[in-house]
Amino acid sequence: MTVPTENVDFVVNKSNLGKCRFVSSGVTPLGEGEVRFLVEKYAFTANNVTYGVAGDMLKYWQFFPAEGDWGRIPVWAIGSVVESKHEDFGDGDRYYGYFPMSTTLIVKPDRVNSRGFFDGTLHRQESAPTYNQYTRVTPEQGFAPAYENHSMLYRPLFTTSFLIDDWLAENEFFGAKTLVLSSASSKTTFGVAHQVALRGDDGCTIVGLTSPANVEFVESLGCYSKVVTYDDIKSIPNDEPVAYVDMAGSANVNAAVHHHFADQLKLSSLVGLTHWQEGGQNADMPGATPQTFFAPDIIQKRIKELGAQEFQATVGAALAKMYDFADQHIEIVIRSGQDGVESVYQEMLAGKTTPNQGFIVSMNG
């Protein structure tokens, strides 16, 4: 494959995410043991916006540093080898993992095996292993050619959904009879609802919170027992124990949930920031103390308990069912080039996308 003569980064201002630009530079020569990837395509979702919003707090900016006040938002992508100084990597080898919104990426493969590798680049070693792992794009690793876009779009989100459901079930839903999920139209959230619904009588009554504009879509999913708008939270019965999983990150919504359910609120788990513009701290709320759910920690726990292969097989089987479920409700939209990159980013940042679409983007397209 032809080695690119330049690299292009899409960077955003860390303190003003709406400000963005493309930065071109010459390619850096490879060191011994390094590999250069061409970033073929990636998924962009509200989850990636969360990476920017929480970039300092959760150290997402550290994965792919940029100069000054600028940062590169990480994305889940497929890359192909275009240059290698590592004996185990050849031109055209394809891997899935964490990439920047750039045209190329240099990695230093470590712990290489037939399934993939970990990036041994020094500045990434303090990060959770999940973010440094790259998987071969082969059917044996769960990447059927017809489902590559599904893998990029849904694998990170639905893996989190699977882990939340698994964690809730392991803890017997913290004694709750009702599970309340905010941002019910988001893919991660309806992934949780789908998994819990599959448990039948072993699960909970599932209430989805959403905006009036998304009620029809959320109801069409068929995995919620009840759909309630944010301004109607008080209509939910509060005479039984409740578990709350928050994907929205809205201070107002969280306050309404806590004050409505009060001592009946047995779990308040913070996962996402789809309503990041409404974020903020709430002090002295009744009910369970809010706690942050961090998927990589749960992944490492399960891998230790089950072993990596059994864990991946279990998640893979669940993902296959969720892909089929998503295909009934979501259209995968392809955009390419710099205009495609920026338009998807700005629309997602401003909350102007519709819940029945998922985006695959290629800067090299």
Side-chain angles (χ1 to χ4, degrees):
M1 298 181 72
T2 303
V3 179
T5 58
E6 72 168 359
N7 175 69
V8 179
D9 298 322
F10 177 74
V11 297
V12 303
N13 188 283
K14 296 177 185 178
S15 58
N16 179 7
L17 295 178
K19 188 177 180 180
C20 58
R21 65 184 185 183
F22 293 90
V23 178
S24 299
S25 60
V27 296
T28 303
L30 292 184
E32 195 62 36
E34 292 185 332
V35 173
R36 191 187 319 276
F37 279 100
L38 180 76
V39 184
E40 290 185 19
K41 52 185 178 178
Y42 63 85
F44 198 84
T45 69
N47 196 46
N48 299 103
V49 173
T50 298
Y51 294 158
V53 174
D56 289 320
M57 180 174 64
L58 297 180
K59 301 181 180 180
Y60 287 116
W61 298 127
Q62 295 183 14
F63 286 100
F64 309 111
E67 293 184 358
D69 295 330
W70 300 91
R72 290 191 287 172
I73 292 177
V75 290
W76 294 96
I78 290 176
S80 53
V81 176
V82 290
E83 186 181 8
S84 174
K85 287 195 174 182
H86 192 294
E87 61 182 3
D88 295 323
F89 293 78
D91 283 1
D93 291 348
R94 304 176 75 228
Y95 288 82
Y96 161 87
Y98 225 36
F99 286 82
M101 295 172 71
S102 302
T103 53
T104 66
L105 173 68
I106 295 174
V107 298
K108 191 175 181 63
D110 186 24
R111 289 180 279 171
V112 181
N113 58 38
S114 60
R115 299 186 299 275
F117 69 94
F118 288 82
D119 185 7
T121 302
L122 186 61
H123 75 266
R124 294 181 64 173
Q125 297 318 293
E126 295 182 3
S127 305
T130 300
Y131 295 124
N132 290 338
Q133 185 174 12
Y134 293 79
T135 305
R136 284 292 297 266
V137 178
T138 64
E140 294 76 17
Q141 298 305 318
F143 292 89
Y147 285 89
E148 283 187 3
N149 291 342
H150 292 69
S151 295
M152 289 183 292
L153 183 60
Y154 299 128
R155 192 166 178 153
L157 306 180
F158 285 168
T159 297
T160 299
S161 305
F162 172 88
L163 293 167
I164 293 171
D165 167 70
D166 181 60
W167 173 66
L168 290 171
E170 182 182 46
N171 290 280
E172 299 181 337
F173 292 87
F174 296 85
K177 302 298 183 183
T178 299
L179 174 65
V180 176
L181 302 171
S182 66
S183 194
S185 66
S186 76
K187 297 170 184 62
T188 306
T189 308
F190 73 64
V192 175
H194 174 70
Q195 286 297 102
V196 174
L198 291 177
R199 295 185 179 276
D201 293 339
D202 293 329
C204 282
T205 297
I206 310 165
V207 177
L209 302 180
T210 192
S211 63
N214 290 334
V215 167
E216 183 177 355
F217 172 76
V218 176
E219 289 180 338
S220 75
L221 294 170
C223 53
Y224 293 98
S225 311
K226 184 177 182 180
V227 179
V228 176
T229 56
Y230 292 117
D231 60 0
D232 199 26
I233 288 171
K234 289 183 179 180
S235 70
I236 307 170
N238 60 357
D239 56 347
E240 290 188 329
V242 169
Y244 174 51
V245 176
D246 175 35
M247 301 285 182
S250 165
N252 290 337
V253 171
N254 288 339
V257 168
H258 274 258
H259 286 283
H260 177 60
F261 294 107
D263 291 342
Q264 292 285 20
L265 190 64
K266 305 305 179 184
L267 170 74
S268 180
S269 181
L270 311 178
V271 182
L273 292 168
T274 59
H275 296 202
W276 61 274
Q277 301 97 327
E278 302 168 17
Q281 298 295 322
N282 289 310
D284 301 324
M285 293 190 298
T289 301
Q291 57 179 281
T292 300
F293 180 89
F294 189 55
D297 288 345
I298 307 297
I299 290 173
Q300 293 310 307
K301 176 179 180 290
R302 280 297 188 228
I303 287 176
K304 288 180 181 178
E305 294 170 348
L306 303 175
Q309 287 185 288
E310 184 177 344
F311 172 75
Q312 292 295 344
T314 302
V315 174
L319 286 176
K321 293 179 181 179
M322 284 197 264
Y323 291 171
D324 290 339
F325 173 72
D327 274 345
Q328 300 173 42
H329 305 283
I330 305 294
E331 174 193 10
I332 295 180
V333 178
I334 311 295
R335 292 193 187 171
S336 60
Q338 292 188 5
D339 288 344
V341 170
E342 185 168 358
S343 65
V344 170
Y345 173 75
Q346 293 289 5
E347 288 169 24
M348 196 71 66
L349 184 69
K352 293 182 178 179
T353 58
T354 57
N356 64 337
Q357 291 185 325
F359 293 94
I360 300 297
V361 186
S362 173
M363 197 185 301
N364 285 298

